[in-house]
Amino acid sequence: MSHPATDAPMTDTHASPPPAAAPHPREMIAILDYGSQYSRLIARRVRECGVYCELLPATATLETLRQLGAKGVILSGGPDSVYDEGARLVDQAILTSGLPVLGICYGMQLLAHQLGGRVEPHTGRREYGPAEISVLPDDGATAPSALFAGLPTSEGACLNVWMSHGDTVGALPPGFVAVGRSASGALAAMDDGKGHIGIQFHPEVSHTPQGKHLLENFLFRVCGCSPTWTSDAFIEEAVARIREQVGDGRVICGLSGGVDSAVAALLAHRAIGDRLTCIFVDTGCMRAGEPEQVVETFRTHLGIPLVAVDARERFLGRLAGVTDPEEKRHIIGEEFVRVFEAEAERLREREPVEFLAQGTLYPDVIESTSHDASAAQKIKTHHNVGGLPEGMRFKLIEPLRYLFKDEVRQAGEALGLPEEWVWRHPFPGPGLAIRVIGEVTPERLDTLRHADGIVLDELRRAGLYREIGQAFAVLTPLQSVGVMGDGRTYANMVAVRAVTTSDFMTADWARLPHDVLARIANRIVNEVPGVNRVVYDITSKPPATIEWE
Ligand code: XMP
């Protein structure tokens, strides 16, 4: 299963997807990443405007951009100062190429620095957080910048933006006009009327309410893009590419029950029909109803060849007596590879299978090419269960390699995946095994599955499921005293966890309405045998993590 999409905090992402492997949409925007915590967010926002874009390393050259067919460039913010030793600059050829360039924050300072202006440390009132800027050109003669088209630009009109910078542009480069100033008089936006625009604030964050409008102005008015990046366009391209890659070969795809692998499989099926076989391994650690739904949806409704392997005994046998979370992860990851390999070999004995389709997402690609991506992940070994068994001799098909999670969901809807599946919360590869704290037994798994089903059911009934990032029950190793009817009980304690998050790297506990919590608790103690107490986890991440193990 692919890891949940991440769009914010905030590693120094230097994605360098090989140009040849990228899709070839008609139009694209290159985002050069100078290490901002918001770089990925810029990419998501541009995609939301219907324009395909990719995050490239700061060192990307004009030649690379030309190969990719970039219609415009966005320079991200970043922690550097242009005067730092080793500060990352932009290839000068890009700035003189005639390609439109939007410099955001540090990106604006780069434009100023490299085109003959002056950058200096910001003095005066600090500019971190919300700010109001006026968007009238300074010289009184120039028309307002195309960036602000459609927004009030009259005398006294203000734009609410989000600022966060140390340096500032002290002297404009030749040919530029100041087209926005903050209340303190600091330069907030500059434009040379020839496609080079710099802004000191962040249009990509939600605290700049008109940010999307500004990005659209850059994309459509300045770069001349049109909003052609849609699910249908993506599906058409992905299908064509799979056909081209696979020829008349055969493909297998491991289904995890999550949306990513399902969409990858649906695309492959649309491309090559029954030459795709899906493999689904029931580890015994899935949520209530999930194995049945995988088989029913793929085999019965969609008519996609599916091998369903009931490996419950095998997994639970190996997990018996194991209490250490990392050991559980290790066992499940290893066992999964073994089962998957055996099934793949069985299929291969009948027909040669050359390709393996996987639901790898763009954030995974960015993460794995990032310099310091691993630190966050070392807290837990997140085995990519359902992923490529190491050492298997397959050629990889990764149709979602350039997609964000929300785009995968849209594609899933367009491909006819049931809504419930499309919007399912992320689920860790090791499944319920890391939500049964302590030893994993079939009985304890059943208890947890039952309680977890109630949590999800009540959230759906309350219409809250989609706004929660992840919600689940945890079976704790604690017993406590209770009273039911006239009798004393000594039974299990279940914890309920629900978090809101945009990236799964940080999360806040969800402020669920008390009546929803009450219904969940009431139903769990009444309906799940062996549980007499329910607690709600009110810790955010950090310092806690989302999962308990
Ligand atoms: P934590 O608990 O680290 O979880 O805050 C962040 C996200 O990762 C998921 N997670 C996993 N996913 N294998 C996975 O595929 C794992 O071992 C694993 N552990 C945690 C977790 O569900 C959350 O979405």
Side-chain angles (χ1 to χ4, degrees):
M1 181 179 178
S2 191
H3 219 56
T6 52
D7 67 349
M10 296 310 170
T11 50
D12 188 1
T13 51
H14 293 275
S16 50
H24 303 289
R26 287 157 292 276
E27 297 177 341
M28 75 87 71
I29 292 291
I31 300 166
L32 305 197
D33 183 5
Y34 291 89
S36 162
Q37 52 180 334
Y38 301 129
S39 297
R40 258 183 252 182
L41 207 48
I42 303 174
R44 288 192 52 179
R45 294 286 173 260
V46 170
R47 301 266 187 105
E48 280 166 22
C49 297
V51 176
Y52 182 75
C53 64
E54 282 180 33
L55 262 181
L56 300 177
T59 48
T61 60
L62 177 63
E63 199 190 332
T64 304
L65 267 49
R66 292 257 192 253
Q67 277 171 15
L68 290 168
K71 284 198 80 171
V73 186
I74 297 179
L75 311 178
S76 83
D80 295 352
S81 162
V82 292
Y83 296 116
D84 285 349
E85 203 177 314
R88 287 164 285 189
L89 302 183
V90 55
D91 177 9
Q92 192 72 23
I94 293 175
L95 301 183
T96 51
S97 67
L99 272 178
V101 181
L102 174 66
I104 297 175
C105 199
Y106 177 71
M108 165 165 165
Q109 291 155 21
L110 277 180
L111 276 178
H113 180 63
Q114 292 189 233
L115 291 176
R118 194 181 68 249
V119 176
E120 53 197 37
H122 182 66
T123 50
R125 206 157 62 87
R126 283 160 62 91
E127 290 189 305
Y128 290 105
E132 282 189 345
I133 63 163
S134 65
V135 292
L136 267 186
D138 255 15
D139 63 357
T142 316
S145 168
L147 196 71
F148 302 122
L151 296 173
T153 50
S154 57
E155 191 73 51
C158 277
L159 192 65
N160 292 313
V161 299
W162 185 261
M163 291 277 195
S164 169
H165 64 107
D167 287 352
T168 189
V169 174
L172 290 166
F176 277 79
V177 173
V179 292
R181 287 202 181 269
S182 66
S184 64
L187 186 64
M190 62 181 199
D191 188 341
D192 72 351
K194 296 184 189 131
H196 295 132
I197 301 175
I199 48 179
Q200 194 55 77
F201 56 90
H202 290 272
E204 67 276 19
V205 303
S206 57
H207 311 288
T208 300
Q210 302 287 355
K212 184 165 183 231
H213 186 101
L214 300 178
L215 287 173
E216 281 174 345
N217 279 344
F218 177 68
L219 300 170
F220 304 144
R221 289 173 189 267
V222 182
C223 301
C225 294
S226 37
T228 49
W229 177 247
T230 59
S231 290
D232 288 345
F234 159 73
I235 291 169
E236 199 181 304
E237 262 165 37
V239 165
R241 284 170 60 77
I242 295 172
R243 283 199 187 122
E244 190 185 301
Q245 200 183 343
V246 173
D248 54 10
R250 303 187 73 85
V251 180
I252 56 169
C253 179
L255 293 179
S256 69
V259 62
D260 308 337
S261 58
V263 172
L266 288 177
L267 286 168
H269 188 249
R270 189 170 279 200
I272 59 159
D274 287 356
R275 282 182 288 124
L276 165 78
T277 304
C278 291
I279 299 179
F280 168 66
V281 180
D282 184 354
T283 60
C285 301
M286 312 282 291
R287 284 173 288 199
E290 264 176 10
E292 296 80 4
Q293 195 196 21
V294 172
V295 174
E296 174 82 4
T297 305
F298 270 72
R299 211 181 260 162
T300 316
H301 292 309
L302 301 168
I304 299 178
L306 172 77
V307 177
V309 191
D310 181 354
R312 286 177 294 178
E313 269 185 31
R314 185 174 171 156
F315 277 85
L316 298 184
R318 281 216 52 203
L319 286 169
V322 177
T323 53
D324 178 68
E326 286 301 282
E327 205 181 331
K328 289 180 188 174
R329 281 191 169 82
H330 181 76
I331 289 172
I332 292 178
E334 189 182 82
E335 209 55 28
F336 186 90
V337 170
R338 288 216 183 115
V339 175
F340 193 87
E341 250 171 353
E343 286 312 315
E345 277 315 312
R346 232 191 295 274
L347 284 172
R348 271 181 159 167
E349 278 163 20
R350 280 190 270 137
E351 313 248 15
V353 183
E354 223 183 325
F355 298 93
L356 177 86
Q358 277 205 150
T360 316
L361 300 194
Y362 197 33
D364 304 333
V365 175
I366 296 172
E367 213 62 66
S368 62
T369 48
S370 160
H371 289 318
D372 50 27
S374 54
Q377 296 185 350
K378 277 184 193 141
I379 297 165
K380 296 174 188 179
T381 352
H382 288 181
H383 278 288
N384 197 10
V385 175
L388 174 69
E390 257 173 56
M392 281 192 87
R393 293 150 287 125
F394 284 111
K395 291 181 191 151
L396 267 191
I397 295 176
E398 295 181 312
L400 314 179
R401 204 178 155 76
Y402 289 90
L403 258 56
F404 289 105
K405 189 85 170 189
D406 45 348
E407 294 174 313
V408 174
R409 291 204 157 113
Q410 284 164 18
E413 278 179 339
L415 287 161
L417 195 64
E419 194 191 319
E420 190 194 328
W421 198 323
V422 167
W423 290 100
R424 186 168 286 167
H425 292 170
F427 188 56
L432 300 184
I434 56 164
R435 293 179 181 169
V436 168
I437 310 304
E439 190 181 354
V440 181
T441 64
E443 298 72 33
R444 290 181 68 74
L445 278 169
D446 279 344
T447 304
L448 175 61
R449 201 175 279 118
H450 197 159
D452 187 64
I454 292 172
V455 173
L456 300 179
D457 185 44
E458 286 301 329
L459 288 181
R460 285 202 179 92
R461 280 174 197 235
L464 293 169
Y465 184 81
R466 277 208 202 175
E467 49 188 89
I468 302 293
Q470 215 170 350
F472 51 90
V474 175
L475 182 59
T476 76
L478 289 175
Q479 269 93 50
S480 73
V481 175
V483 52
M484 274 174 160
D486 289 330
R488 177 188 187 276
T489 58
Y490 190 62
N492 290 301
M493 182 169 94
V494 161
V496 175
R497 180 89 163 128
V499 295
T500 52
T501 174
S502 62
D503 51 50
F504 297 90
M505 293 170 84
T506 60
D508 197 7
W509 61 278
R511 275 42 170 192
L512 291 180
H514 288 179
D515 56 337
V516 174
L517 287 170
R519 270 198 303 277
I520 289 173
N522 194 31
R523 278 191 59 193
I524 290 178
V525 286
N526 279 295
E527 295 174 29
V528 185
V531 178
N532 68 352
R533 191 177 293 265
V534 177
V535 296
Y536 188 50
D537 180 350
I538 53 165
T539 1
S540 57
K541 171 185 177 177
T545 52
I546 295 175
E547 304 290 344
W548 276 36
E549 284 200 331

